[in-house]
Amino acid sequence: MPRYLNVALGQLGPIQRADSRTQVVARLCELMRQAHAVGAQLIVFPELALTTFFPRWYIEDEAEINSFFEQSMPNAATQPLFDLSKALGVGFYLGYAELAQEATGAVRYNTSILVDRSGQIVAKYRKVHLPGHKEHEPWRRFQHLEKRYFTAGDGWEVTQAFGGVVGMAICNDRRWAETYRVMGLQGVEMVLIGYNTPVHNAPAPEHDDLSLFHNQLSMQAGAYQNGTWVVGVAKAGVEEGVDSIGGSCIIAPSGEVVARCLTKGDEMAIARCDLDFCAIYKRTTFNFDLHRQPQAYGLITQRKGETLGADGTVWAAPSGV
Ligand code: CDV
């Protein structure tokens, strides 16, 4: 019997710096209502969905930095979204900046949560692949200071939820094969991803024309190679003068796109996803137990005495080793 999960894309248009959390949460609630009206059980919102994408600015004042972070979840501003989730029976994925209190003090993460259909948080994920740079680089049109403002999370753990095996990733994670494979090895059936991707890539502007293509390429490959659904959701459009891609989409384990947003504004789109469709790929082409060869991965470099440098360069060991 098919295990259908009706999943909605909750794409956001830009959030300007002056927009309040209350205004943004009202937009999220409106997308959730639209999703519920067409039968959604789960809606996926973008990365850092409560504020403007503040890592584009070099900010020195700690209090100003912290103003973009949430110290608890839910909190007064986001409670209406949790209440609506419970009232409608629609779960959600939400990305936000988290200020956590740990034994060592306050730590900042780029975080997502998974909320079930009763409005309860059932999983939390902290972004592993933090792109960009740590120091101010005035030569850039805009900064990408995720390495400055966030600490990396410690990996991917899947969750039994929505009748299947669900995993989360955030933005840059989606470009890395490891993200999907670590969850694929745990039997993931649906990977939820929010993103903020500027069209302009300062260190490699020749990639600008390919940014939508690379977005979809990465997620389609991750879906197919691990026999999983992938749901990718953008915060799109021109935010504080920076244009970001849209292209939110739902991808089947076949690698095919089955639903896609068409605009760069607030937009909801939906697909009925059969979680049992994953098994066709997990049992055949990507049957890991049968076909993966982990003992061979890295064998040649080891045999030759080669090792990978921190920058990925292959260094040959001196002869005689
Ligand atoms: N928010 C992100 O992680 N953005 C990156 C950009 C900087 C390339 C991304 O991979 O989309």
Side-chain angles (χ1 to χ4, degrees):
M1 220 180 76
R3 275 181 300 142
Y4 290 125
L5 177 61
N6 294 341
V7 180
L9 301 165
Q11 178 176 285
L12 283 176
I15 300 175
Q16 308 305 342
R17 192 168 188 164
D19 296 345
S20 69
R21 303 279 207 288
T22 306
Q23 287 171 313
V24 175
V25 168
R27 289 165 61 184
L28 298 175
C29 287
E30 171 55 22
L31 288 166
M32 186 179 277
R33 278 191 207 94
Q34 289 177 21
H36 174 254
V38 290
Q41 296 154 302
L42 169 64
I43 182 166
V44 180
F45 296 121
E47 173 193 35
L48 299 177
L50 297 174
T51 64
T52 198
F53 191 80
F54 61 91
R56 72 169 64 91
W57 294 302
Y58 178 71
I59 306 169
E60 289 180 285
D61 181 67
E62 291 291 310
E64 192 180 345
I65 298 169
N66 286 344
S67 70
F68 294 102
F69 284 74
E70 313 303 316
Q71 305 208 24
S72 59
M73 191 58 67
N75 54 35
T78 57
Q79 190 62 50
L81 185 64
F82 285 76
D83 292 344
L84 187 66
S85 160
K86 188 175 173 185
L88 301 180
V90 178
F92 63 94
Y93 163 112
L94 178 74
Y96 64 98
E98 178 194 8
L99 186 63
Q101 295 302 330
E102 300 186 351
T104 49
V107 186
R108 297 183 181 119
Y109 296 104
N110 187 338
T111 296
S112 62
I113 48 169
L114 182 63
V115 174
D116 72 10
R117 299 181 69 191
S118 67
Q120 295 300 313
I121 298 175
V122 291
K124 181 187 271 192
Y125 167 72
R126 289 162 170 165
K127 186 173 182 177
V128 169
H129 297 103
L130 297 172
H133 48 109
K134 208 164 186 154
E135 302 306 329
H136 191 209
E137 296 187 3
W139 62 269
R140 292 173 183 257
R141 241 191 267 161
F142 50 89
Q143 305 293 296
H144 198 105
L145 286 157
E146 285 197 58
K147 288 193 194 298
R148 183 176 195 86
Y149 296 137
F150 301 119
T151 296
D154 54 10
W156 299 269
E157 201 177 350
V158 301
T159 306
Q160 291 284 342
F162 299 92
V165 184
V166 180
M168 293 188 279
I170 301 178
C171 198
N172 193 262
D173 287 326
R174 76 195 187 287
R175 302 184 192 277
W176 299 87
E178 293 87 345
T179 299
Y180 306 93
R181 184 49 51 89
V182 170
M183 290 190 268
L185 288 166
Q186 298 173 63
V188 77
E189 294 176 317
M190 182 172 281
V191 178
L192 313 177
I193 307 171
Y195 59 89
N196 283 261
T197 299
V199 173
H200 176 57
N201 182 339
E206 64 275 24
H207 298 175
D208 291 4
D209 287 343
L210 299 173
S211 43
L212 259 182
F213 167 67
H214 287 154
N215 174 53
Q216 214 167 291
L217 174 71
S218 309
M219 296 194 292
Q220 287 183 284
Y224 171 62
Q225 291 172 352
N226 294 278
T228 181
W229 291 88
V230 170
V231 182
V233 180
K235 175 141 66 64
V238 182
E239 194 180 82
E240 297 294 344
V242 176
D243 190 16
S244 287
I245 64 166
S248 305
C249 59
I250 300 176
I251 299 158
S254 59
E256 294 165 289
V257 174
V258 298
R260 195 175 192 282
C261 287
L262 301 176
T263 70
K264 288 177 83 170
D266 290 11
E267 183 180 345
M268 190 280 303
I270 187 167
R272 186 179 73 162
C273 305
D274 179 4
L275 298 176
D276 279 339
F277 193 49
C278 300
I280 299 163
Y281 288 87
K282 290 188 193 291
R283 267 201 316 262
T284 60
T285 314
F286 295 108
N287 183 328
F288 290 166
D289 290 341
L290 206 56
H291 304 307
R292 273 185 91 243
Q293 300 295 335
Q295 77 288 350
Y297 306 150
L299 205 60
I300 300 224
T301 45
Q302 277 169 31
R303 200 182 295 140
K304 284 186 178 168
E306 290 169 341
T307 164
L308 284 182
D311 63 353
T313 316
V314 176
W315 297 96
S319 56
V321 174

